Amino acid sequence: MMNEEVEILAAIENMENNVQEHQREVHTYRNGFDVSDKKFIKTYRLTKKLTRELINIIRPFVVQRQRMSGLTVEEKVLVTLHFLACGSYQHAVANSKYLGVSQPTVSRCVEEITTALNHPELLQRYVKFPETLNEMNSLRMRFHRIYGMPGIIGCIDCTHIAIVPPKTNDPVHPERIYVNRKNYHSLNVQLVCDERMKILHVNPRFPGSSHDSHIWNNSNIEPVLRNIHERGNGGYFLLGDSGYPLRPWLLTPVANAETEEEEAYNEVHRRARSTIERCNGLLKMRFRCLLKHRVLHYAPNKASKIINACVLLHNMCIDNNVELNLEGDEADMDFENDINNDQHIENPHHNLQLIEGRRMQRRVINYFRH
């Protein structure tokens, strides 16, 4: 009988310890705003002021806590920001001394906050391609002031974001189409940025096997620029590498430049277009969950939402001049260069848009004649 009583008492004590441990987990959350400004930016990437602004704008799109043990909107935002900043390891985020939450809680926070950031009202407010000629004129003047080439309103490129393999026989997202040319699974994400590396457009929904030009041809901004040109408003174009089709609204480098003005055009084109390459790098280093070796452990649709959320937050940082100062291992971290596509090849005799593109390219090249 004594042994039974001891076992019962031990079981009760164990249950009480579990309850206390659960209570500790719920209430050991430390206020992330209590750290220094430098530590806050290192941990969450945004400033304290900008994070409070984010909390206020996202509040209407997030479920408020229903019980005292639940997380507040502020806590959910900080948990998500820390996850996006440090990478795709939810256990590491959960074990952070600043958070004190479980791994499933991290997962729920990331899902809820990234879904809110993908709400059209928010995403279109912070990631916006120019809609008017006045906006395009502003971009064109800013690019011209820096690089001396007329007509540029943005730079375009794609970048690969690694994801875990989807199911082999998934009817919507079959595994094979996500294998890219370097033989890992990814989303091929199209980005357009301005001269400040602010992202004007993001399309994260194409699998890794998709060619950059295919994504562009199915982009919702391609017809916008084409229609502007067809209405007689030429002289507004993006810069893209040789993997893109040459069009009056998308200029690529001159293959095998022969004249001084062609070489000058290519040099300015290269310097200006490096903006999007630096933008890709900054985005991934600011939100390390996007780095190749971190790998987003989500289905393609959820991974796309995370990418959109990172782009929105990146733009908030650009608009508010938040610098990314990395130290130690972070600063030395290398990420794989984007996969270079082969040069886009077209039949010049059967493509009027290509012919018009060459005319526009020649007009810009002539700008560099001495």
Side-chain angles (χ1 to χ4, degrees):
M1 186 67 180
M2 289 291 294
N3 289 337
E4 290 181 1
E5 291 178 350
V6 170
E7 291 175 356
I8 292 173
L9 290 173
I12 293 173
E13 183 179 1
N14 186 52
M15 281 186 2
E16 291 175 343
N17 287 337
N18 288 338
V19 170
Q20 291 173 356
E21 184 64 29
H22 174 70
Q23 291 174 339
R24 277 197 298 273
E25 181 199 56
V26 171
H27 296 293
T28 54
Y29 182 93
R30 300 183 183 182
N31 188 344
F33 289 96
D34 290 341
V35 301
S36 68
D37 293 342
K38 182 178 179 181
K39 181 67 176 178
F40 189 92
I41 295 176
K42 180 179 176 62
T43 304
Y44 304 110
R45 296 309 195 235
L46 278 63
T47 63
K48 293 180 182 179
K49 178 181 178 181
L50 194 54
T51 301
R52 291 190 175 98
E53 177 184 329
L54 174 65
I55 290 167
N56 288 332
I57 67 171
I58 208 173
R59 196 180 298 277
F61 306 95
V62 177
V63 177
Q64 307 298 313
R65 67 174 177 178
Q66 304 299 316
R67 59 184 188 279
M68 289 301 297
S69 60
L71 295 184
T72 63
V73 176
E74 290 83 352
E75 292 165 347
K76 291 176 182 178
V77 167
L78 291 180
V79 167
T80 301
L81 289 178
H82 189 33
F83 165 79
L84 298 176
C86 80
S88 55
Y89 304 120
Q90 292 182 354
H91 285 288
V93 176
N95 293 331
S96 167
K97 66 180 180 179
Y98 300 108
L99 301 176
V101 296
S102 66
Q103 181 272 327
T105 299
V106 175
S107 182
R108 289 192 295 270
C109 289
V110 171
E111 170 66 20
E112 185 175 5
I113 298 302
T114 56
T115 297
L117 290 173
N118 275 262
H119 191 283
E121 182 177 331
L122 296 184
L123 195 59
Q124 293 171 12
R125 184 192 311 177
Y126 289 94
V127 187
K128 181 183 178 184
F129 193 75
E131 296 177 346
T132 67
L133 290 180
N134 284 339
E135 292 173 338
M136 291 187 182
N137 285 330
S138 176
L139 282 168
R140 189 166 62 172
M141 287 188 294
R142 280 156 31 201
F143 268 105
H144 184 267
R145 190 181 306 121
I146 297 172
Y147 298 107
M149 180 185 285
I152 308 170
I153 61 170
C155 300
I156 185 171
D157 201 3
C158 286
T159 186
H160 286 260
I161 306 296
I163 62 171
V164 294
K167 294 179 180 178
T168 303
N169 298 319
D170 190 307
V172 180
H173 305 287
E175 176 269 341
R176 58 181 173 78
I177 68 173
Y178 289 89
V179 180
N180 61 39
R181 293 174 60 189
K182 291 198 174 179
N183 205 34
Y184 67 88
H185 297 82
S186 69
L187 293 170
N188 195 8
V189 182
Q190 179 177 274
L191 298 173
V192 176
C193 77
D194 67 12
E195 85 291 350
R196 299 177 299 157
M197 294 185 287
K198 181 176 179 178
I199 296 172
L200 308 175
H201 163 82
V202 56
N203 186 343
R205 300 195 175 278
F206 280 81
S209 64
S210 300
H211 194 281
D212 292 5
S213 61
H214 172 73
I215 300 174
W216 164 249
N217 288 331
N218 290 275
S219 168
N220 59 3
I221 62 170
E222 191 279 339
V224 171
L225 290 173
R226 174 160 39 85
N227 290 337
I228 288 175
H229 175 80
E230 291 173 350
R231 291 199 301 266
N233 296 306
Y236 300 91
F237 51 78
L238 303 177
L239 297 185
D241 63 22
S242 57
Y244 287 94
L246 175 61
R247 297 290 184 264
W249 48 89
L250 201 171
L251 295 192
T252 59
V254 175
N256 305 315
E258 297 178 351
T259 65
E260 290 185 3
E261 54 263 31
E262 287 178 348
E263 291 177 353
Y265 164 86
N266 276 359
E267 174 59 23
V268 174
H269 189 290
R270 181 194 61 78
R271 287 194 295 108
R273 200 181 60 80
S274 70
T275 309
I276 188 63
E277 296 170 350
R278 290 183 283 115
C279 176
N280 287 339
L282 179 61
L283 175 67
K284 291 180 180 180
M285 291 307 295
R286 178 169 269 140
F287 300 107
R288 291 186 294 162
C289 65
L290 304 180
L291 287 168
K292 175 183 178 292
H293 69 279
R294 291 303 169 100
V295 184
L296 288 176
H297 292 257
Y298 298 90
N301 59 332
K302 288 188 177 181
S304 295
K305 290 198 299 184
I306 290 174
I307 294 167
N308 280 339
C310 290
V311 167
L312 184 154
L313 297 169
H314 166 87
N315 281 356
M316 292 184 73
C317 291
I318 295 294
D319 282 339
N320 290 272
N321 300 312
V322 181
E323 294 186 5
L324 180 61
N325 295 316
L326 301 178
E327 301 173 353
D329 294 338
E330 277 191 313
D332 296 334
M333 188 178 298
D334 187 24
F335 56 90
E336 184 173 278
N337 290 330
D338 291 322
I339 300 167
N340 293 321
N341 287 299
D342 296 330
Q343 183 172 346
H344 187 80
I345 299 175
E346 294 181 283
N347 186 335
H349 302 293
H350 298 93
N351 194 325
L352 293 178
Q353 290 182 351
L354 175 59
I355 295 172
E356 291 180 9
R358 286 182 170 172
R359 288 174 181 162
M360 177 63 72
Q361 185 184 58
R362 180 52 53 183
R363 283 174 54 191
V364 178
I365 290 171
N366 289 339
Y367 182 82
F368 295 98
R369 283 184 174 176
H370 296 293

